Amino acid sequence: MAIMSIFNLIFPFLLVLLYSQSSATCSSITNRFTRCLNHRADPSFPINGQLYTSRNSSFPSVFQAYIRNLRFNESTTPKPIVIITALHPSHIQAAIVCAKTHRLLMKTRSGGHDYEGLSYVTNSNQPFFVVDMFKLCSVNISIEDETAWVQTGATLGEVYYRIAEKSNTHAFPAGICPTVGVGGHFSGGGYGNLMRKYGLAVDNIVDAQLIDVNGKLLNRKSMGEELFWAITGGGGVSFGVILAYKIKLVRVPPVVTVFNIQRTSQQNLSTIAHRWIQVADKLDNDVFVRMTFDVINNRNGKKIIRATFPTLYLGKSAALVKLMNKDFPQLGLKKSDCIEMSWIESVLFYRDFSIGTPTTALLSRTGEKLNPLKIKSDYVKEPISKQGFEFIFKKMKELENQLLDFNPYGGRMSEISEFAKPFPHRSGNIAKIQYEVNWEELGVEAAKRYVNFTRMMYDYMTPFVSKNPRAAFLNYRDLDIGVNSHGKNAYAEGMIYGHKYFKETNYNRLTMVKTSVDPNNFFRNEQSIPTLSS
Ligand SMILES: Cc1cc2nc3c(=O)[nH]c(=O)nc-3n(C[C@H](O)[C@H](O)[C@H](O)COP(=O)(O)OP(=O)(O)OC[C@H]3O[C@@H](n4cnc5c(N)ncnc54)[C@H](O)[C@@H]3O)c2cc1C
Ligand SMILES: *[C@@H]1O[C@H](CO)[C@@H](O)[C@H](O)[C@H]1NC(C)=O
Ligand SMILES: *[C@@H]1O[C@H](CO)[C@@H](O)[C@H](O)[C@H]1NC(C)=O
Ligand SMILES: *[C@@H]1O[C@H](CO)[C@@H](O)[C@H](O)[C@H]1NC(C)=O
Ligand SMILES: *[C@@H]1O[C@H](CO)[C@@H](O)[C@H](O)[C@H]1NC(C)=O
Ligand SMILES: *[C@@H]1O[C@H](CO)[C@@H](O)[C@H](O)[C@H]1NC(C)=O
């Protein structure tokens, strides 16, 4: 009692003391840092109008604009001391130089879709700042040589829209969500529904512009092939700030076909799912059939599993129906389920926009409904039996808010060597699973509860997925699979998540690149590539 009341008495004073001390230190670091930035930036491109500190009234709205996971939109989420909305490469160069002088942790944010918020959040207690790339978003298409230069602050929707503006027979094989940023997505692998035909985004990148730890602007030739390899799948964060990528466009027919049919667990779903896992990676490369599961209530209020099969086919509907009914008759596809459209319309369809939505919707950076969420990933290397699927459905119903997406591999993915890019999950993988749990309630307690559900689901899935290591997809960032404290065991700590994301050979090669380009580990986060010496 006595101790408690003394504590109660002095606690508020302690808080005031701590708070005023830390804010005093912070504001002076902030002042020194912003002074350095103003001093360092190229005078022809003033930086001051791009600097936001807690004293600028628009700081919260600028910070929140690219938070795509409301789990990190809490008052307890650590805040950067400065946000720089870079307008010119010299702003990024100044940021790197001044951050080293003032020993600040730097975060680069493009689209802000990192599932653990690592482009704007740190768990390290260090003062940090954010370089926000959203204003560096040019997309310059050349249909003549079938390439484009894309700045990393552009969104995928902008890239797709600009391609379609110039040609209805070109496309780019990247992600499904139009608001995802080029910076994180391309550097981390980037897949979408063209992957069975053309591989990942990184399999179609031909050049890049990067600002290194010395503030030097490099291209593929001047950075060399090792660093270029590393930033096409090894994540951008460990190596520098990527300013732009040059991509190779791919060809699509003027008319493609889509469908999205729904089946429920009252319709022999385990039979359908079992057949899917036997054929989805072996179908013609022109077809991509995703399989997703969630839990709904039927008319009697009983929980049932709903499966959907969103599909893209690079051809006409008659050929698709024939192909599906030959290899996957269990799905029962009918011609009337199919819709023919242009590739750019299929991008909207796949993201559940209603038919006829103008393609300008792809340019919108706002308006999507956001939730707190947690994502995990797995790879399937052996077919899952009918009983296996029944077990999975049972567990999904026992837990809450479970969503599982199965993405088919095979096709072009199996033809590319696992060493061609840091992303190693090529031949031998049937599918990747994405686990998603999202919820409505705000607050740390609700988050704990739902995160626990997805961890339990992940545990239940152990018998069905890859082992030693249990592989994971870098762009589905998941801090549960290991974090790095960047102390003296950094290399060994990095192996834990590094082998899952990249496998051993690619992880080691990434650490060698890291050691040569950023030996003092300036560019880092909880899951970055450590140097070899550590
Ligand atoms: C709704 C949604 C849908 C998604 N759909 C897909 C999908 O279909 N396919 C797929 O592959 N993935 C998908 N993802 C995952 C997505 O690819 C990754 O989260 C990706 O990293 C996001 O890139 P970003 O630029 O938006 O993220 P950010 O949060 O800005 O960045 C992610 C990481 O990259 C670093 N980074 C960002 N920009 C740069 C840069 N210019 N230079 C150096 N480092 C940089 C950041 O510091 C951070 O570590 C999806 C994510 C969400 C939220
Ligand atoms: C933020 O406030 C500072 C100090 O008043 C000012 O110099 C700076 O230009 C402001 N930033 C923006 C983006 O307006
Ligand atoms: C994030 O939090 C702020 C402050 O509580 C709130 O005003 C804002 O609407 C939230 N963002 C979203 C997208 O809900
Ligand atoms: C695209 O073109 C514009 C105008 O010529 C130029 O300013 C921009 O730097 C180019 N972007 C890239 C990524 O090359
Ligand atoms: C489910 O499968 C059984 C056995 O194969 C079959 O008899 C039945 O008609 C199927 N039901 C549906 C709804 O497809
Ligand atoms: C989830 O929470 C339960 C109950 O608190 C606990 O027993 C279990 O270990 C947790 N599971 C995981 C995977 O975190």
Side-chain angles (χ1 to χ4, degrees):
M1 261 318 258
I3 294 175
M4 271 299 282
S5 51
I6 289 172
F7 183 74
N8 282 346
L9 214 67
I10 64 168
F11 187 63
F13 295 105
L14 262 176
L15 259 186
V16 168
L17 200 73
L18 277 171
Y19 184 78
S20 56
Q21 241 187 16
S22 72
S23 71
T25 338
C26 280
S27 79
S28 62
I29 285 187
T30 307
N31 287 343
R32 278 182 281 137
F33 182 54
T34 54
R35 257 203 313 276
C36 176
L37 292 169
N38 280 311
H39 175 70
R40 274 283 173 173
D42 183 337
S44 341
F45 305 97
I47 197 173
N48 198 50
Q50 310 305 327
L51 302 182
Y52 298 81
T53 72
S54 59
R55 294 194 188 169
N56 299 84
S57 57
S58 44
F59 177 86
S61 63
V62 173
F63 183 59
Q64 285 158 23
Y66 289 88
I67 295 180
R68 313 299 304 192
N69 182 348
L70 297 189
R71 188 152 60 97
F72 305 110
N73 191 38
E74 298 283 351
S75 55
T76 48
T77 304
K79 305 292 184 295
I81 63 164
V82 177
I83 300 170
I84 306 171
T85 56
L87 253 189
H88 187 263
S90 66
H91 297 165
I92 302 165
Q93 292 166 319
I96 293 170
V97 171
C98 295
K100 284 192 295 187
T101 313
H102 294 283
R103 297 176 178 282
L104 288 169
L105 180 63
M106 173 162 158
K107 295 267 160 194
T108 307
R109 179 163 75 170
S110 288
H113 283 63
D114 192 287
Y115 283 133
E116 298 279 12
L118 294 192
S119 53
Y120 55 89
V121 173
T122 178
N123 304 305
S124 72
N125 281 327
Q126 269 180 286
F128 70 105
F129 70 99
V130 171
V131 173
D132 230 332
M133 300 293 285
F134 68 91
K135 291 182 176 170
L136 291 166
C137 61
S138 67
V139 177
N140 300 347
I141 311 272
S142 164
I143 292 297
E144 247 159 62
D145 60 359
E146 303 186 293
T147 61
W149 268 108
V150 178
Q151 283 185 325
T152 48
T155 65
L156 300 184
E158 289 161 3
V159 176
Y160 300 154
Y161 181 88
R162 296 295 164 208
I163 295 172
E165 204 177 36
K166 293 250 166 92
S167 162
N168 67 346
T169 53
H170 287 87
F172 190 67
I176 282 141
C177 170
T179 54
V180 165
V182 163
H185 184 74
F186 287 14
S187 61
Y191 84 92
N193 56 19
L194 291 172
M195 74 188 290
R196 302 194 63 254
K197 178 77 173 182
Y198 291 116
L200 304 173
V202 287
D203 300 323
N204 298 278
I205 289 176
V206 292
D207 204 342
Q209 293 168 10
L210 169 118
I211 300 178
D212 76 3
V213 71
N214 301 314
K216 269 221 198 89
L217 179 56
L218 306 172
N219 62 17
R220 179 172 181 172
K221 189 150 182 271
S222 53
M223 77 179 76
E225 287 302 305
E226 282 303 291
L227 181 51
F228 179 71
W229 175 83
I231 60 164
T232 49
V237 66
S238 309
F239 306 101
V241 177
I242 300 147
L243 201 57
Y245 282 111
K246 186 181 186 184
I247 60 177
K248 182 95 189 89
L249 305 182
V250 300
R251 294 198 184 171
V252 289
V255 177
V256 304
T257 303
V258 295
F259 66 78
N260 186 6
I261 54 188
Q262 191 174 307
R263 298 287 181 257
T264 66
S265 51
Q266 292 157 325
Q267 294 165 314
N268 287 356
L269 195 52
S270 57
T271 308
I272 302 175
H274 176 57
R275 182 63 188 169
W276 182 93
I277 210 124
Q278 288 175 313
V279 297
D281 65 316
K282 298 176 192 74
L283 294 172
D284 192 293
N285 291 8
D286 286 335
V287 65
F288 182 91
V289 185
R290 185 184 251 190
M291 174 168 74
T292 78
F293 301 127
D294 67 350
V295 184
I296 57 169
N297 289 317
N298 72 2
R299 258 180 267 123
N300 309 321
K302 193 170 159 263
K303 281 183 172 183
I304 57 168
I305 299 291
R306 169 176 60 186
T308 65
F309 295 86
T311 294
L312 171 70
Y313 176 62
L314 299 174
K316 299 261 180 79
S317 58
L320 176 59
V321 173
K322 212 169 131 203
L323 186 158
M324 293 296 290
N325 287 336
K326 179 172 139 289
D327 293 324
F328 193 8
Q330 292 77 359
L331 191 60
L333 181 69
K334 295 193 288 294
K335 183 119 196 272
S336 58
D337 296 319
C338 299
I339 313 166
E340 295 182 343
M341 54 177 61
S342 64
W343 170 74
I344 196 71
E345 289 166 334
S346 80
V347 172
L348 290 163
F349 178 88
Y350 221 91
R351 192 57 188 169
D352 295 328
F353 285 94
S354 53
I355 306 258
T357 302
T359 54
T360 47
L362 295 173
L363 301 177
S364 171
R365 287 170 171 237
T366 55
E368 278 187 317
K369 178 169 166 21
L370 300 176
N371 287 87
L373 49 90
K374 170 72 188 169
I375 304 286
K376 301 178 78 65
S377 62
D378 255 324
Y379 281 87
V380 181
K381 288 171 168 285
E382 304 289 338
I384 298 171
S385 68
K386 216 165 150 322
Q387 293 72 22
F389 277 111
E390 273 154 19
F391 173 81
I392 293 168
F393 298 156
K394 180 165 158 268
K395 292 301 173 191
M396 285 181 71
K397 288 189 270 189
E398 282 174 19
L399 302 169
E400 286 176 42
N401 295 20
Q402 297 298 307
L403 280 165
L404 265 62
D405 283 359
F406 284 68
N407 289 285
Y409 271 50
R412 180 79 188 117
M413 287 298 285
S414 296
E415 297 164 8
I416 298 171
S417 154
E418 66 180 75
F419 310 115
K421 294 290 169 189
F423 176 97
H425 313 302
R426 306 282 187 169
S427 161
N429 289 286
I430 296 175
K432 181 186 65 204
I433 304 176
Q434 169 174 242
Y435 304 86
E436 173 172 352
V437 59
N438 67 61
W439 58 95
E440 298 294 331
E441 306 93 308
L442 299 176
V444 178
E445 287 311 310
K448 270 192 198 148
R449 208 168 88 79
Y450 288 101
V451 169
N452 177 282
F453 289 139
T454 194
R455 287 178 182 153
M456 286 172 72
M457 192 67 216
Y458 185 80
D459 283 348
Y460 290 133
M461 292 296 288
T462 310
F464 308 113
V465 298
S466 66
K467 301 168 181 58
N468 304 317
R470 186 169 179 173
F473 177 40
L474 177 65
N475 263 350
Y476 286 0
R477 171 126 29 235
D478 177 7
L479 294 184
D480 293 351
I481 67 169
V483 294
N484 209 315
S485 57
H486 297 292
K488 63 177 196 298
N489 296 321
Y491 175 79
E493 285 172 359
M495 276 170 54
I496 314 273
Y497 55 86
H499 287 189
K500 290 169 185 277
Y501 287 142
F502 309 112
K503 294 203 192 167
E504 186 173 353
T505 306
N506 290 351
Y507 171 71
N508 285 337
R509 187 168 165 194
L510 287 166
T511 60
M512 284 187 266
V513 179
K514 171 72 177 181
T515 308
S516 76
V517 304
D518 182 22
N520 296 321
N521 198 24
F522 172 73
F523 293 112
R524 66 184 182 278
N525 69 19
E526 286 75 355
Q527 285 189 339
S528 58
I529 305 294
T531 59
L532 270 172
S533 55
S534 50

